[in-house]
Amino acid sequence: MHINEIDLNLLRLFDAVHRHRSVSRAAEQLDLTQPAASQGLTRLRGLLNDPLFMRAPGGVQPTPRAERLAEPVRQALATLEGALADSREFEPLRSRRTFQLHMSDIGESRFLPPLMAALREQAPGVRVEVRPWPRDEISDALHAGRIDFAFGFLPMVKDSQRLALLDDRYVLVLRRDHPFLRRRRSAKAQLAALGELDFVAVRTHTDTRRILQLLELEERLRLVTEHFLVLPAIVQSSDLAALVPRDIAEGFGEGHAIVEPEFPLRDFTVSLHWSRRFEAEPGHRWLREVIEQVFRRKR
């Protein structure tokens, strides 16, 4: 097969189906009808002599041939988009672009409400899709254009541009009538007394587990959850203590108490990360400026 046989729009369709694992969601992103997307995929299957995507629960799964093609196609499209970026302007009020973001569950609760409020006013047709990427894949996803921005404390993300959004620290959250709170202690004494407690930790925030390891308290870990947002109910109904970013702990409600021992690794900065490859792209630059305006770093 020769490159001349391939329509660029077929490659865009292929990339969208691979990213979304769904023909219907790919069609929606590309402003195509479902029949048009299906016909395009059928044509591409014939050109490449491979089924490319097979039906699976909830959508489709790529074949081995599609997996091998996915990254080169994505990089080629990103290169073309970057090369053409200077020749067009981004018009927020008219755009129907979809931006892809990485956030954890607490990132969603902290950043999405004010961000979506700003987009509703400035770019009502713009869409946002959020998913938590595996931490060791975020750098590659940014540089390949699979995600536009990553929010979080992400020291493993290398060679990215970043903007500090929020200074925070890990604190200890207990129910307000917890026995641990009956004695008044200094911060140093609080740290020494942590061996009296049992803990709940969140799998996606490895630093909370790392803090317990450094304090030699990992054997006191009684529960590991997938998300932070379930912690208020767990802490409220038990004697478990949770290590939580203070910015989130302050929203847990009156039934909870915050204690601030002098943990190792307790201070951290939440940042916005993006790839240098897309820094000059007008839409990318516009959303970055909106995010900076909405979330100026707290000092």
Side-chain angles (χ1 to χ4, degrees):
M1 185 194 68
H2 194 275
I3 188 65
N4 290 342
E5 300 177 58
I6 295 289
D7 184 333
L8 180 60
N9 287 324
L10 294 181
L11 296 182
R12 294 179 65 237
L13 174 61
F14 171 85
D15 179 60
V17 174
H18 186 270
R19 282 190 290 108
H20 293 291
R21 298 297 198 266
S22 167
V23 178
S24 60
R25 288 197 293 272
E28 186 177 4
Q29 179 194 328
L30 297 174
D31 289 326
L32 297 173
T33 64
Q34 174 87 24
S38 297
Q39 290 169 11
L41 197 55
T42 298
R43 181 183 170 197
L44 189 59
R45 284 167 167 156
L47 289 170
L48 296 176
N49 195 28
D50 189 273
L52 297 177
F53 300 98
M54 307 298 292
R55 291 187 182 277
V60 295
Q61 287 295 324
T63 65
R65 176 80 184 279
E67 286 287 18
R68 293 194 298 272
L69 286 171
E71 189 59 29
V73 167
R74 188 166 292 125
Q75 290 183 5
L77 290 173
T79 300
L80 283 172
E81 289 171 359
L84 296 172
D86 290 339
S87 65
R88 69 182 191 272
E89 294 297 324
F90 182 77
E91 300 181 48
L93 290 173
R94 299 178 60 184
S95 176
R96 299 183 61 82
R97 178 169 170 175
T98 298
F99 289 94
Q100 306 286 337
L101 309 180
H102 160 84
M103 291 183 187
S104 66
D105 64 321
I106 60 171
E108 290 182 354
S109 66
R110 172 64 179 82
F111 293 111
L112 283 182
L115 176 59
M116 295 311 296
L119 293 182
R120 184 175 62 246
E121 293 183 2
Q122 300 183 43
V126 162
R127 297 180 58 187
V128 172
E129 292 188 4
V130 180
R131 60 170 288 193
W133 281 75
R135 292 164 72 86
D136 59 351
E137 296 180 17
I138 296 173
S139 289
D140 289 343
L142 284 171
H143 299 319
R146 293 193 292 273
I147 51 178
D148 296 292
F149 297 101
F151 289 71
F153 173 54
L154 304 170
M156 80 297 301
V157 175
K158 306 298 184 183
D159 300 322
S160 71
Q161 301 289 73
R162 67 182 64 189
L163 171 70
L165 301 176
L166 174 70
D167 293 323
D168 207 347
R169 66 171 42 179
Y170 287 110
V171 298
L172 196 67
V173 180
L174 307 159
R175 60 182 173 86
R176 185 164 292 280
D177 57 350
H178 196 289
F180 185 83
L181 301 173
R182 293 172 187 166
R183 290 183 56 188
R184 299 181 67 87
R185 299 179 174 93
S186 66
K188 185 176 182 179
Q190 286 176 347
L191 191 63
L194 293 182
E196 303 172 12
L197 295 170
D198 291 324
F199 295 89
V200 52
V202 178
R203 182 175 289 108
T204 54
H205 274 244
T206 56
D207 279 347
T208 59
R209 301 282 295 272
R210 178 62 176 154
I211 288 170
L212 292 178
Q213 289 175 351
L214 292 173
L215 294 173
E216 298 183 351
L217 293 174
E218 197 171 24
E219 66 179 23
R220 304 291 299 186
L221 185 60
R222 298 291 177 257
L223 173 65
V224 179
T225 73
E226 192 68 25
H227 303 294
F228 268 111
L229 299 184
V230 72
L231 293 185
I234 292 172
V235 171
Q236 180 67 37
S237 61
S238 71
D239 281 342
L240 294 176
L243 288 173
V244 180
R246 185 178 181 91
D247 189 66
I248 299 300
E250 290 172 346
F252 273 22
E254 296 181 357
H256 301 84
I258 295 175
V259 181
E260 299 193 53
E262 296 179 352
F263 295 128
L265 305 181
R266 69 174 181 170
D267 295 313
F268 63 95
T269 298
V270 176
S271 297
L272 178 73
H273 297 257
W274 66 92
S275 171
R276 293 183 179 89
R277 287 186 59 199
F278 307 103
E279 192 163 28
E281 195 275 316
H284 200 283
R285 184 173 60 242
W286 171 82
L287 183 56
R288 193 167 66 242
E289 291 171 353
V290 170
I291 292 169
E292 183 173 7
Q293 291 168 5
V294 175
F295 306 107
R296 294 194 184 279
R297 185 175 182 176
K298 292 183 180 179
R299 298 188 182 276

